[in-house]
Amino acid sequence: MPVQTPTPSDTNQLSWQPGTATLQRLRASGLRLTLARRAVLRALHDNRGRFLDAEAVHRWTKAATWRVNLTSVYRILAELDKARIAQATQLGARTFYSMVPEGEAAQPHFVCRRCGHAQALGSDALLTQLFEGAARLGFHLNQRLTLVGVCSACNASAPGSVKRHQKQTL
């Protein structure tokens, strides 16, 4: 999945603060708001609605003139996922991250394999059925459901691909 380099919304990153719920989750996990964590959080915040891999987050921090090395980005993303501030999604051999909305739990998503656009599934009834079904089978789910496909914008940018698919299935 090619991920475009995101562009920071401004370069005055030092004045940006994450929300109260994010700060509480950081503290509850024993993490401080360091400059490197602030940069990674800002990258995820500015790219809400998209899943980014560590390399895209690293490119974003470099474009914003933050000095965060790639190893630190990987470590911070893993910490944020563990603290339930970010949501990790495995797509193939790569892991992508998205910011969990302030004060909410991680949600299942549809994710575009081409551009990384993410859309929350938003169906409590479906989740309830999944959890009940899993419990009946003796499974404990961690609520990380990701459905991967191609979004309408990417689908529209490849003219004829939908028509070819429809012809093959008819």
Side-chain angles (χ1 to χ4, degrees):
M1 169 185 346
V3 177
Q4 299 171 347
T5 302
T7 306
S9 58
D10 64 59
T11 55
N12 186 12
Q13 306 295 322
L14 293 175
S15 63
W16 181 81
Q17 284 289 333
T20 305
T22 300
L23 290 172
Q24 288 173 345
R25 285 182 182 175
L26 273 174
R27 289 186 193 113
S29 298
L31 301 172
R32 294 180 307 117
L33 183 61
T34 62
L35 288 176
R37 280 194 194 100
R38 185 188 310 243
V40 171
L41 282 167
R42 181 64 189 261
L44 295 174
H45 177 269
D46 280 7
N47 290 282
R48 286 179 308 259
R50 291 189 65 211
F51 276 82
L52 303 175
D53 63 1
E55 290 83 7
V57 171
H58 183 249
R59 286 191 303 271
W60 187 96
T61 60
K62 281 177 65 175
T65 66
W66 289 77
R67 291 182 180 216
V68 183
N69 67 45
L70 184 58
T71 303
S72 294
V73 170
Y74 274 104
R75 180 183 43 78
I76 290 167
L77 287 170
E79 291 170 345
L80 295 177
D81 177 47
K82 188 175 180 182
R84 299 194 180 274
I85 295 168
Q87 178 176 352
T89 298
Q90 192 75 30
L91 299 175
R94 295 167 64 192
T95 304
F96 292 83
Y97 297 86
S98 180
M99 187 86 162
V100 173
E102 187 75 17
E104 295 182 21
Q107 298 179 358
H109 283 81
F110 293 110
V111 178
C112 178
R113 77 169 57 95
R114 291 186 187 160
C115 71
H117 172 73
Q119 179 67 47
L121 194 61
S123 174
D124 290 335
L126 177 61
L127 279 179
T128 301
Q129 288 178 340
L130 285 171
F131 278 93
E132 288 173 356
R136 279 193 305 272
L137 296 172
F139 284 88
H140 174 73
L141 300 180
N142 65 4
Q143 195 176 346
R144 299 220 177 176
L145 176 66
T146 303
L147 300 170
V148 181
V150 179
C151 71
S152 58
C154 288
N155 213 4
S157 69
S161 61
V162 173
K163 291 177 186 172
R164 265 186 262 120
H165 176 68
Q166 288 173 341
K167 286 180 185 175
Q168 290 173 351
T169 58
L170 291 177

